[in-house]
Amino acid sequence: MSVLRVEVPADSLFGPENMPYGVFAPPDGELRVGCRLSDMVLDLAALLDDPVFARPDLNAFLAQGSSRWHEVRERLRALADTALPVDTVYPVSSVRMALPVRIGDYVDFYASIDHATNLGRLFRPDSEPLLPNWRHLPVGYHGRAGTVVVSDTPIIRPRGQRRTASGTPDFGPSARLDIEAELGFVVGTGSTLGAPVTVDEFTEHVFGVALVNDWSARDIQAWEYQPLGPFLGKSFATSISAWITPLAALTEARVPLPVQDPEPLPYLRGTDDFGLDIDLAVAWNGEVVTHPPYSRMYWSPAQMLAHLTANGASIRPGDLYASGTISGPEPSQRGSFIELSWSGSESITIGADSRTFLADADEVTITATAPGTAGRRIGLGQVSGRILPAHNTSRP
């Protein structure tokens, strides 16, 4: 049997301290679960001889719970230092990546105080930027799971109603197409209907994180969102990274939360609550235009989950919830183009072009890194998408 040892360069973002999970198809093969080590994908069904990984999604493995996640991770980290059968290892460049989980429910939050403050200043310049409830609960909305797509899936410009200068609507392609750089959290084990998940139960239920781009049609959103909130301006597409980084790989990235004032209600408090020191970068047509810092997020991932389930709503393996736009206090840290362009009033230079919102054929790529062990950094992969023209729905 031929074997090989996967070489991991010292500066690799995907060493044994990381090892994220994804779903891939090798050349002329079926979808199955893999793990990334350096620039190679390990075929877990073949390597571990376990049929739970011979599936087109991670859901069955996630449902096995945190003890099993830990057991598999430790086994894979041990195997990373050994020679592996050649037929269990594939170059990343040779495989096709797919949506890593079967998503039953998707919730998007609004957890960045800097993002919420920026939008408040834009939309309510004569009022307090934050609405009265914002510091008391993680604001969110229930999104559309069926339009969550894996990185590199083209994004078709959405059509919808937009307000005209006369105050009445017309219908057509969005002219203010935007991004939202976010961090997503993938549920592992589910909960019982009617039984809330506490802040301190977060790590028992959430398996890992993915990068998220929640594409947003700002002109459609502005006309429709009152009184019930986001709908067609958000539901047309949400992109996630192909790789899910397990929470166990982010131990070194844990940081204290910013001061929360006023103190949250008791159900949003815990003894093991934490933020994450994750640095994002957003590239627009290959040029990095902003560096959003996740460490400044006001509401923690555990608080978001606790609030999501506070009314007894249940969660299931593969469910996804996202942080909302990640922004910092500086202009160079804004995680959406509506903030970067200050609602279209300030142009952004991209090479020889100027932009405020996305044009057809534009491509956006979001990447992120976090502290790892021994002073190394780990990568969270990337989430990319290119804008295609709106469908022509006119009739002859």
Side-chain angles (χ1 to χ4, degrees):
M1 177 179 63
S2 298
V3 296
L4 64 81
R5 184 183 295 272
V6 177
E7 297 296 331
V8 181
D11 60 350
S12 174
L13 297 175
F14 297 97
E17 66 276 15
N18 189 355
M19 302 194 79
Y21 295 81
V23 169
F24 77 102
D28 302 320
E30 300 292 327
L31 290 173
R32 77 279 307 273
V33 175
C35 178
R36 181 166 179 176
L37 179 63
S38 188
D39 291 326
M40 307 296 282
V41 182
L42 312 186
D43 182 343
L44 300 191
L47 190 62
L48 303 181
D49 191 25
D50 189 336
V52 78
F53 298 114
R55 297 171 51 90
D57 57 64
L58 277 158
N59 292 51
F61 171 58
L62 301 184
Q64 292 180 332
S66 58
S67 295
R68 175 65 171 155
W69 308 338
H70 176 75
E71 173 194 337
V72 171
R73 177 170 170 78
E74 291 307 304
R75 188 173 176 189
L76 289 174
R77 294 184 72 188
L79 287 172
D81 292 328
T82 66
L84 305 174
V86 169
D87 60 359
T88 67
V89 182
Y90 300 89
V92 170
S93 59
S94 73
V95 305
R96 174 175 63 88
M97 300 303 298
L99 195 67
V101 289
R102 188 176 67 256
I103 301 169
D105 279 294
Y106 165 55
V107 172
D108 197 28
F109 283 96
Y110 190 47
S112 165
I113 194 168
D114 298 300
H115 174 66
T117 299
N118 283 338
L119 292 195
R121 288 172 177 160
L122 283 171
F123 300 149
R124 297 181 299 277
D126 299 323
S127 304
E128 286 295 318
L130 298 180
L131 293 174
N133 66 344
W134 198 91
R135 289 180 182 269
H136 291 277
L137 57 85
V139 175
Y141 72 93
H142 198 281
R144 187 174 181 86
T147 52
V148 178
V149 297
V150 72
S151 177
D152 294 320
T153 302
I155 305 301
I156 298 170
R157 183 178 296 274
R159 298 165 63 91
Q161 288 194 25
R162 311 153 305 176
R163 180 174 178 159
T164 66
S166 67
T168 58
D170 66 0
F171 182 86
S174 171
R176 290 166 64 92
L177 187 56
D178 198 358
I179 66 133
E180 292 189 343
E182 307 189 14
L183 192 65
F185 300 88
V186 178
V187 172
T189 53
S191 64
T192 303
L193 182 64
V197 176
T198 69
V199 167
D200 288 337
E201 292 173 323
F202 167 72
T203 55
E204 292 298 311
H205 287 277
V206 172
F207 172 75
V209 305
L211 293 177
V212 170
N213 185 348
D214 193 39
W215 306 91
S216 300
R218 300 298 185 186
D219 42 2
I220 297 172
Q221 181 184 0
W223 173 247
E224 72 177 4
Y225 84 102
Q226 295 181 359
L228 289 181
F231 188 29
L232 300 186
K234 293 280 192 176
S235 62
F236 60 96
T238 300
S239 299
I240 70 168
S241 53
W243 297 105
I244 298 175
T245 303
L247 284 181
L250 293 171
T251 302
E252 298 298 319
R254 294 187 181 192
V255 292
L257 289 177
V259 174
Q260 295 181 327
D261 184 22
E263 184 180 35
L265 293 174
Y267 80 97
L268 290 172
R269 301 179 211 157
T271 58
D272 191 30
D273 204 7
F274 55 87
L276 291 167
D277 180 15
I278 296 174
D279 294 328
L280 286 78
V282 179
W284 195 344
N285 292 343
E287 185 169 331
V288 175
V289 293
T290 183
H291 292 86
Y294 192 84
S295 59
R296 284 189 53 86
M297 299 297 275
Y298 188 88
W299 295 104
S300 77
Q303 288 173 319
M304 289 183 242
L305 182 64
H307 187 66
L308 189 161
T309 61
N311 65 348
S314 58
I315 52 176
R316 295 168 291 179
D319 282 357
L320 174 70
Y321 68 94
S323 62
T325 303
I326 303 163
S327 288
E330 303 299 326
S332 61
Q333 297 174 322
R334 296 169 180 169
S336 65
F337 297 159
I338 193 171
E339 293 173 88
L340 276 177
S341 70
W342 210 243
S343 196
S345 65
E346 301 173 6
S347 294
I348 303 160
T349 301
I350 312 293
D353 299 320
S354 292
R355 293 281 192 276
T356 52
F357 292 95
L358 289 161
D360 290 347
D362 279 358
E363 183 171 25
V364 176
T365 297
I366 303 169
T367 56
T369 64
T373 57
R376 298 176 61 150
R377 294 192 70 81
I378 65 171
L380 278 68
Q382 68 179 44
V383 57
S384 297
R386 183 181 295 275
I387 305 303
L388 300 184
H391 284 315
N392 185 356
T393 60
S394 61
R395 296 290 185 265

